[in-house]
Amino acid sequence: IRVLGYCCQLVGGVLVEQCPTRSEVGTRLLVVSTQLSHCRTILRLFDDLSMFVYTKQYGLGAQEEDVFVRWVSVLGNLADQLYYPCEHVAWAADARVLHVDSSRWWTLSTALWALSLLLGVARSLWMLLKLRQRLRSPTAPFTSPLPRGKRRAMEAQMQSEALSLLSNLADLANAVHWLPRGVLWAGRFPPWLVGLMGTISSILSMYQAARAGGQAEATTP
């Protein structure tokens, strides 16, 4: 749904802006994109429990060896956990279920999403730096170099962190765009650029999921 929605926004935005003769088709695609986004908002009404279970299982990240990674992950989980109820209130306000100002709740949920993405960017950058140092550090005297299998695993992890970094940066660009005007580039993206950023992020996430599934199958006896 996410990929289709952003692709419709990308193509629709390009047609509206660059092809006046096909602007009607572009407008219809933008409407489809809006409805798919609304669909995803409704589906997220049921994500609180799964997010809570994940946050509870991770806890304070005692399994993490790196202190920075641990606390960035904990703060990211907290931001994600708070994001859902804020978005639910905003949706309920738009649907006139609750009599509150929806714009404030949309702003708060978007800010929490942006914070989570920013923490994800920081985590990926830190991990890339640490992994690069371990791969390039000179071998100490009387010690053997990294085994080929471990080296390949570290290189694969670096690729995964790089993809996560690009995906989070693309989403962060959109998150800032949806914040109130006056915050960096908020409100300045044309529809096609929002669609492009979202499409890039979605495709990268799908590729990572498929790659992780393939690696899991390969390691299963």
Side-chain angles (χ1 to χ4, degrees), residues 13 31 41 54 78 84 105 111 113 130 143 167-169 174 183:
V31 171
T41 300
Y54 174 79
L78 179 61
Y84 289 104
W105 289 97
W113 182 39
K130 298 287 287 186
T143 60
S167 178
N168 285 335
L169 285 174
N174 277 345
V183 180

Side-chain angles (χ1 to χ4, degrees), residues 3-219:
V3 175
L4 181 59
Y6 278 123
C7 285
C8 287
Q9 189 169 8
L10 171 59
V11 177
V14 170
L15 291 177
V16 168
E17 188 170 322
Q18 303 295 333
C19 305
T21 58
R22 298 185 178 180
S23 60
E24 184 177 353
V25 177
T27 301
R28 291 179 181 179
L29 287 173
L30 291 177
V31 171
V32 171
S33 173
T34 300
Q35 292 303 313
L36 289 173
S37 176
H38 185 60
C39 174
R40 292 177 56 229
T41 300
I42 294 175
L43 290 174
R44 282 196 294 270
L45 292 172
F46 307 97
D47 286 347
D48 298 75
L49 182 58
S50 59
M51 184 65 218
F52 176 76
V53 171
Y54 174 79
T55 302
K56 185 179 179 181
Q57 288 177 345
Y58 189 85
L60 296 179
Q63 69 276 16
E64 298 285 358
E65 297 180 0
D66 192 291
V67 176
F68 180 81
V69 171
R70 176 190 305 174
W71 288 109
V72 165
S73 299
V74 169
L75 291 175
N77 290 342
L78 179 61
D80 289 337
Q81 192 70 63
L82 293 174
Y83 162 82
Y84 289 104
C86 291
E87 186 188 54
H88 301 341
V89 173
W91 169 83
D94 282 346
R96 298 183 180 179
V97 176
L98 297 176
H99 298 290
V100 296
D101 183 10
S102 66
S103 61
R104 293 182 179 179
W105 289 97
W106 283 120
T107 298
L108 181 56
S109 65
T110 304
L112 287 168
W113 182 39
L115 174 61
S116 174
L117 293 169
L118 192 59
L119 291 169
V121 168
R123 181 190 182 282
S124 293
L125 285 173
W126 180 259
M127 288 298 298
L128 284 170
L129 178 62
K130 298 287 287 186
L131 288 168
R132 186 178 180 183
Q133 288 178 344
R134 291 181 63 185
L135 284 173
R136 295 193 173 185
S137 60
T139 305
F142 308 109
T143 60
S144 58
L146 286 173
R148 181 177 298 180
K150 187 174 182 180
R151 187 176 186 87
R152 286 181 178 176
M154 292 173 63
E155 290 173 347
Q157 187 179 357
M158 285 186 67
Q159 292 177 1
S160 178
E161 293 293 346
L163 292 174
S164 295
L165 175 62
L166 293 175
S167 178
N168 285 335
L169 285 174
D171 279 336
L172 182 60
N174 277 345
V176 173
H177 164 72
W178 284 317
L179 289 172
R181 285 185 175 272
V183 180
L184 300 176
W185 57 85
R188 298 183 184 180
F189 281 8
W192 68 265
L193 185 53
V194 175
L196 177 62
M197 293 293 103
T199 300
I200 291 173
S201 169
S202 301
I203 291 176
L204 288 175
S205 297
M206 289 178 62
Y207 173 76
Q208 281 185 284
R211 184 180 178 185
Q215 290 177 347
E217 291 180 0
T219 55

